[in-house]
Amino acid sequence: MAPLNILIVGCGIAGPTLASFLLLADIPATTKPRITIVERESTQRAHVRGQNIDIRGAGVTIIRKLGLQVPIRASTTGEEGVRLVDKWNRVWAQNEVDRSGNGQVQMPTSEIEILRGRLAELCWRNSCRVSADAEREGASGIEYVFGDYLDEIEQDGERVRVRFAKSGQTRIFDLLVGADGMQSRTRRMVWGKEGEKDRVKRIGMYAGFFSIPREDQDGKWRRWFHAPGRRGIMLRPDSLGVRSTIFMYVVNEKDSRLEQVTTGGIDAQKALLEEYFKDAGWECDRIIREMHATDDFYYDAVSQVKMDSWTKGRVVLLGDAGHCASPISGLGTTLAFTAAYKLAGYLQPYIQQETPDPSAALAQYNEQMHPIIEDAQQLAPGQPYIINPETAWGVWIMHVLVRSLSYTRILFIIIKYLGRTFHLGPQAADYVPVEDFGFKDMSVWDEDTDYPAYY
């Protein structure tokens, strides 16, 4: 029988990872699926922008299986930890990254901190390498379609028919995977726009993400500034020491403008953030000035995507499209790797056409991912409000409390206890099982000297 045709929407982190594992299955090359990845951005590098993200627990195991551990570690930002600073840039508390390697406590800064764009690029290039190997063995490999997107998705029970908006081409696939981010078009088209308010859960935080030129005071430590009115800014290093990345946020559910401006255009978004931070002190004047000059600005509500099922017929959602945990969870990237790995594993009987349809594999994906995603989306009690006080006195008390807890090491005991007992926060990444699906182990690539051609 002919190999199955699988379409993956999105060439970020989860999409290329899924494609790679599907081709690394220990099955004859002629039975491996034909995979197409469509990416809306028009160039092969435009989609690789983004902020600081991290990889923890199960995610580290999975990148090792992909042969990506060495290039990823070589591309980290080198962030030393996080420092809480006030408007005079005085350090009230600091938590250093845990480099012990024993994984006893997952601190706010992970051992692997990397820019989202660089990680997406590495995952894409790695999938190109996996595809080339598969083609040499006789498989079809991966077809990449950049600069297009879907404007029609129809299912008939046995196939998925899609239309590519730019080319107008209509194609038929056996399975469609939506890995197109929190604002997923795939999710809206298949599950319906009318249910988006129930699926995308706001947590009361709105944020701008962008980068600015690095200055001498921007070292390897993340500086986290809090201002009254539940306002905050994180300034973090990049991997080259050229730019500093900014996460500029407001926690406020009363000002409707914060929600309205999500669709109001970049100029309006920047103007609103300037209004909120122009009197805040610290380095806000510099950050506001550079915000207006930057070309990589992105603004959105910080949200979680919550769904009872991530599958509908022959369509399945992957990564933030189906289960975004929000940037403040510290687990979004690890979830993307985990979900891609597990979905590829559960699909193997269907890929080998031992079963006539993917329903059993997709049901297993839903069942196995539910407890993992529930743990990842469980934010610490009171978040994001408790760490972002309303008043100046509240900010001072928070600084003093965190300083005291850090100095006495009680903070680390609390994090360790809550993480182990409730699988809460980043510590939950250590309790995600990574089954052995028999994929070809590419960790040997971490000893390869041929990285420049691909990475």
Side-chain angles (χ1 to χ4, degrees), residues 218-243:
D218 301 344
K220 286 294 187 179
W221 283 83
R222 180 196 329 182
R223 288 186 288 160
W224 189 357
F225 167 69
H226 292 81
R230 304 194 192 280
R231 298 170 290 167
I233 297 176
M234 291 186 192
L235 186 152
R236 308 180 69 175
D238 74 351
S239 57
L240 301 176
V242 175
R243 309 279 293 179

Side-chain angles (χ1 to χ4, degrees), residues 172-360:
I172 296 175
F173 295 89
D174 296 290
L175 185 68
L176 170 61
V177 180
D180 45 347
M182 190 184 76
Q183 302 295 349
S184 170
R185 284 176 55 87
T186 306
R187 185 183 66 237
R188 294 198 299 270
M189 292 170 70
V190 176
W191 274 262
K193 293 181 181 179
E194 64 279 358
E196 281 294 276
K197 287 186 178 180
D198 295 325
R199 292 187 287 265
V200 182
K201 305 290 187 181
R202 306 298 198 217
I203 62 173
M205 176 184 281
Y206 298 84
F209 307 81
F210 53 97
S211 67
I212 64 175
R214 183 186 182 279
E215 294 190 358
D216 291 342
Q217 68 270 26
D218 301 344
K220 286 294 187 179
W221 283 83
R222 180 196 329 182
R223 288 186 288 160
W224 189 357
F225 167 69
H226 292 81
R230 304 194 192 280
R231 298 170 290 167
I233 297 176
M234 291 186 192
L235 186 152
R236 308 180 69 175
D238 74 351
S239 57
L240 301 176
V242 175
R243 309 279 293 179
S244 293
T245 64
I246 302 296
F247 176 60
M248 188 180 201
Y249 66 87
V250 179
V251 180
N252 187 320
E253 295 185 81
K254 296 179 180 179
D255 187 349
S256 61
R257 297 177 303 164
L258 290 163
E259 177 70 28
Q260 293 167 358
V261 81
T262 57
T263 57
I266 288 177
D267 290 341
Q269 293 163 357
K270 289 181 177 180
L272 185 57
L273 285 179
E274 178 180 9
E275 178 183 326
Y276 264 94
F277 285 91
K278 63 183 178 182
D279 64 343
W282 189 54
E283 298 195 29
C284 290
D285 288 345
R286 165 204 171 192
I287 291 171
I288 290 170
R289 181 180 68 251
E290 298 296 348
M291 174 184 69
H292 284 293
T294 192
D295 65 352
D296 63 358
F297 180 87
Y298 175 76
Y299 174 92
D300 205 350
V302 177
S303 307
Q304 295 184 325
V305 176
K306 296 195 173 185
M307 302 175 67
D308 294 330
S309 171
W310 304 287
T311 65
K312 193 170 186 178
R314 289 175 176 264
V315 179
V316 55
L317 298 177
L318 188 63
D320 283 355
H323 42 74
C324 176
S326 86
I328 65 174
S329 72
L331 287 168
T333 308
T334 296
L335 272 185
F337 279 120
T338 300
Y341 178 81
K342 289 180 179 293
L343 180 59
Y346 301 147
L347 281 171
Q348 288 311 301
Y350 174 60
I351 297 297
Q352 298 178 63
Q353 303 187 39
E354 297 172 1
T355 57
D357 61 63
S359 57

Side-chain angles (χ1 to χ4, degrees), residues 24 26-27 98 109 250 283 290 372 379 403:
L24 290 173
D26 185 20
I27 59 178
D98 179 13
T109 293
V250 179
E283 298 195 29
E290 298 296 348
I372 296 169
L379 302 179
R403 182 172 188 160

Side-chain angles (χ1 to χ4, degrees), residues 11-33:
C11 192
I13 295 166
T17 299
L18 173 64
S20 296
F21 279 120
L22 287 173
L23 293 181
L24 290 173
D26 185 20
I27 59 178
T30 54
T31 64
K32 292 184 178 182

Side-chain angles (χ1 to χ4, degrees), residues 104-143:
Q104 289 188 4
V105 181
Q106 293 282 1
M107 299 306 296
T109 293
S110 167
E111 227 187 334
I112 302 179
E113 296 280 347
I114 186 170
L115 296 183
R116 186 265 177 197
R118 177 57 175 154
L119 180 58
E121 182 179 31
L122 290 171
C123 290
W124 163 55
R125 291 187 180 279
N126 198 64
S127 71
C128 293
R129 191 177 189 186
V130 171
S131 177
D133 276 7
E135 288 180 21
R136 281 192 290 270
E137 294 172 358
S140 297
I142 304 171
E143 173 194 5

